[in-house]
Amino acid sequence: MTIAASPDALDRKIDLCFGQVDLDRNGLVDASDVLGLAARTIAASGEDFDSPKAVAMLTAAQGWWRALVADLDTNRDRKIQRHEYRAGMRLLAEAPGAFDDVLRPMALAVFALMDRNGDGVISAAEFWDFQRAFGSSEAAARFAFEKLDTDRNGVLSEAEVLSAFRGFYTSTDPDQVGNHLFGDALD
């Protein structure tokens, strides 16, 4: 059964993302939250913080933070409030090329970190480390992995991960596979 596209689906995913990024739970996203999430992701991968993969992740996080401040921080206080985040992420989702400019570098950096053994794919165990860094439960991680493994080969390719990130951050379709990047965001 296909459900009609819904702006609420995107808003619910955006709200979930805000909660993941607002590490100190103060209702605001600031530079320390974004870089803290990057650091948590690096730590979950087991990479040294000065490794090329870690540096790429930190660089991508800094770029994402600059884009957030430039595009979402309407009152220019260098803190993103929930309503600013939702409105701004919705605009980014709808803008042609915005995913590739703003979020694709983060997705690629996360993929590289997840791929601990460098074999070009993400195993279920590698995926779980990523999910744990973002605060997902083990059950949500298993569910997500199963949904995102669209070719059913037991691993996630870069294309599957990029597609999931794109769908999560841009799609209003409740049946989009990317909705499951962090479990079942629409449940």
Side-chain angles (χ1 to χ4, degrees), residues 39-61:
R40 204 163 73 186
T41 306
I42 293 164
S45 75
E47 284 287 320
D48 290 332
F49 278 82
D50 61 352
S51 76
K53 286 181 179 184
V55 170
M57 181 68 196
L58 291 168
T59 300

Side-chain angles (χ1 to χ4, degrees), residues 29-32 34-35 55-74 76 78-80 85 89 92 101-103 105-106:
V29 170
D30 61 22
S32 66
V34 171
L35 293 176
V55 170
M57 181 68 196
L58 291 168
T59 300
Q62 288 172 330
W64 186 45
W65 172 245
R66 281 190 220 96
L68 289 176
V69 169
D71 297 335
L72 279 62
D73 185 16
T74 57
R76 301 294 176 224
R78 300 194 58 78
K79 295 178 174 107
I80 312 297
Y85 192 85
M89 290 298 285
L92 284 174
D101 293 342
V102 176
L103 292 169
M106 282 288 289

Side-chain angles (χ1 to χ4, degrees), residues 38 162 165:
L162 285 175
F165 268 85

Side-chain angles (χ1 to χ4, degrees), residues 74-115:
T74 57
N75 64 2
R76 301 294 176 224
D77 65 353
R78 300 194 58 78
K79 295 178 174 107
I80 312 297
Q81 299 172 25
R82 184 177 294 275
H83 73 276
E84 290 174 315
Y85 192 85
R86 184 186 266 194
M89 290 298 285
R90 177 165 278 292
L91 289 173
L92 284 174
E94 296 165 354
F99 175 85
D100 290 327
D101 293 342
V102 176
L103 292 169
R104 189 171 193 273
M106 282 288 289
L108 289 171
V110 167
F111 181 87
L113 282 171
M114 281 192 289
D115 183 14

Side-chain angles (χ1 to χ4, degrees), residues 119-135:
D119 64 356
V121 293
I122 307 304
S123 69
E126 290 169 328
F127 188 73
W128 165 234
D129 288 339
F130 156 72
Q131 290 288 320
R132 188 175 43 235
F134 279 76

Side-chain angles (χ1 to χ4, degrees), residues 122-128 130-131 137-157 160-161 164 175-184:
I122 307 304
S123 69
E126 290 169 328
F127 188 73
W128 165 234
F130 156 72
Q131 290 288 320
S137 70
E138 190 171 355
R142 279 195 305 271
F143 179 81
F145 188 87
E146 182 179 302
K147 292 292 186 180
L148 301 183
D149 182 14
T150 56
D151 63 7
R152 306 291 179 242
N153 67 350
V155 294
L156 301 179
S157 68
E160 286 170 320
V161 171
D175 295 326
Q176 214 290 332
V177 171
N179 293 339
H180 305 294
L181 181 61
F182 300 104
D184 192 358

